[in-house]
């Protein structure tokens, strides 16, 4: 085990605990990864509870998401691979599974439009609330390779995006580091909560 | 006190604290049990606060729920017995008492239908969101033997189920271990929260 | 300082921290008291933050709520006195100030009716969900003596009650001990949350 | 570093952690300041996560908000300066960024009117619920100097106010000390939660 892997694994363990304490990775949902300097990926082992990870629950795959140690990585590892392939500057991908992301992705068709929120400035490269962020929503699909291809095709047209939703499933976001990606998760979850609460307000 | 009992009692104490911290066993509600290897049942003593249990608040009953030590087990012990009798592979039964389970069980008649949720995969044996899970809702009844018989009759027709609701009362779920049962609680509570929030969203 | 006072003061400090962690005594709201064996009352000093009490924030009044040490007791001490006078078996009175109690007490006129909840069994003397608990709602009033008289007159007609609401203000409940009273707070807050959520559900 | 600065910096670090634990400064939102005895301002450095501050994330500006050490203060420092200039007795200004403040400030035009809440008494100088507190809502603006001028003009007409909202952005409040300002934050957030929940209740 390299020092780099040990450090990254500890970051993912802490990220899992952080996300769980906020209710964003219930049961054994969600998955987390970091890209190592040599291009391989440190990712959560399939079926682990993200709130109670140990470094031993983090495994290594090659750049294509193929296991290097015989253990099975999270089912959606190919969605992480798609982001790493496309974005050389992205080193961490997080997939929380919150109530709000689940509901908005089921209720809305096509995309969630976020605008007039000061917090949009939390996303790298945005320096004013006077803009909008589009969060695409993809149909859920147990064929992850096919889902990854859809995400990739979408990014060909609409990049840059800061994250996306999968219907009934949660959302994906990423960053230049685990800390950067966690800041994006916090911002998205705040905005998802705003959007859900707005829809519960009675007009009149 | 056998080592096995001590270990199981500690698991129930920890489970109670876990459920309480999430608001799922308010006041002295809820009850928790584990089946011991010899078929007897370790169950919470009646009227204890599940958030602050000590091993001394866990007692032993025989396989029929009859106290072995003169103390009174939780009023609903017979509902635990019904599950253990029917399902040899089930070793833990949990009865939380959350706001969402209470409300959904009062609002809906007959059953709660859960579908198009990725998190359904948290239930053993389900490997796709493209399915539905039916959660039966039983009328509340202070005659627990009668209620247990109704649950048993339902399972004759519709097994397997992963849990059930009692109107105005909360829900029951179970698993091959306390950890397994807690994962089911987390998954159900997540889905109950989704279902309640959906019902608060204004159409238009 | 008697040993009895020291112990009771510690119980109130712990109760304040407990209530605050759940969001039920924001800012400097709420007040807490215990009756001492000699009939005097240990009560929170006016204006203290209930989440961060020290024993030094607990003072003693006589049975009429008159300060014994020159410090000012919580403004609503007379409401505690009214309960202690009327109910010899009650040794603790708690006044949390939660969002749900505040809203229900503003929205409803006259009383809140709680029924068909298994959790009603948390109230001493209730052993079935097949009953109802009436929670009277009093107009808010800065003249606490007058408010206490209204509560007393109500109890002449309708005792026993387990607690009452003051419009826009929160609620009062009590018990044979601080632990007993806290169990009542937990049960009421659970039921208040149920009642508020029910009112947010869209029919259809 | 003076002892005074060290103490104030520690207070801001603790205040940030407190606000974050309640979900009121997600991602890197919000900013916090204290006025030092010599009139200079201790304020959070731009872009820091308020939940994980260290004294090293607190910098000093002059009374006009100009950096004294080359680091960039929070973008909205001029809004803090405006309050300190106007109110000699105010020594702390806090800007949380909660979901409820964000939503109410977007939904309402002009002002939020708070009345018939006992908790209004948490605001210095209010000793009855029989009054109302007006919380002005300003359009969001990336030109902070212009926004500060609008706030100042408003106060010329309507002072005293206890806080104000910025559309889609959160709110500002202040006090004679950090503790005093935090009490105001707690009171406002409680009242914002009340106002949001009221708007989700179905008439009938």
């Amino acid at each position: 085990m390299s020092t780099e892997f040990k450090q990254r694994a500890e970051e993912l363990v802490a990220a899992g605990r952080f996300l769980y304490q906020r209710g964003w990775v219930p049961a054994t949902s969600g998955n987390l990864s970091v890209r190592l300097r040599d291009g391989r990926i440190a990712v959560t082992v399939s079926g682990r509870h993200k709130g109670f990870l140990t470094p031993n629950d983090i495994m290594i795959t090659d750049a294509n998401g193929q296991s290097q140690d015989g253990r099975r990585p999270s089912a959606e590892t190919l969605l992480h691979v798609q982001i790493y392939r496309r974005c050389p500057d992205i080193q961490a991908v997080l997939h929380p599974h919150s109530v709000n992301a689940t509901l908005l992705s089921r209720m809305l068709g096509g995309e969630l439009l976020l605008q007039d929120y000061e917090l949009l400035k939390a996303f790298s490269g945005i320096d004013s609330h006077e803009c909008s962020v589009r969060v695409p929503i993809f149909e859920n699909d147990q064929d992850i390779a096919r889902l990854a291809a859809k995400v990739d095709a979408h990014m060909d047209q609409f990049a840059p995006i800061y994250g996306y939703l999968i219907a009934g499933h949660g959302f994906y976001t990423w960053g230049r580091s685990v800390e950067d990606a966690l800041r994006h998760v916090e911002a998205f979850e705040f905005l998802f909560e705003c959007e859900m609460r707005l829809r519960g307000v009675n007009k009149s």
Side-chain angles (χ1 to χ4, degrees), chain A residues 14-70:
Chain A
R17 196 164 44 232
F18 175 92
L19 295 171
Y20 183 63
Q21 285 164 350
R22 281 147 187 78
W24 298 335
V25 284
T28 54
S29 67
N31 38 71
L32 321 170
S33 77
V34 171
R35 170 153 49 184
L36 301 176
R37 276 194 297 273
D38 62 11
R40 292 181 306 161
I41 301 170
V43 60
T44 42
V45 174
S46 179
R48 296 293 196 269
H49 193 301
K50 307 312 174 295
F52 310 114
L53 292 171
T54 68
N56 196 37
D57 299 316
I58 311 299
M59 60 179 286
I60 293 183
T61 73
D62 64 21
N64 301 319
Q66 296 309 307
S67 174
Q68 305 269 292
D69 67 4

Side-chain angles (χ1 to χ4, degrees), chain A residues 70-85:
Chain A
R71 293 191 291 175
R72 223 167 95 255
S74 284
E76 287 125 349
T77 300
L78 290 183
L79 292 171
H80 297 242
V81 167
Q82 181 268 331
I83 297 294
Y84 290 129
R85 274 216 193 109

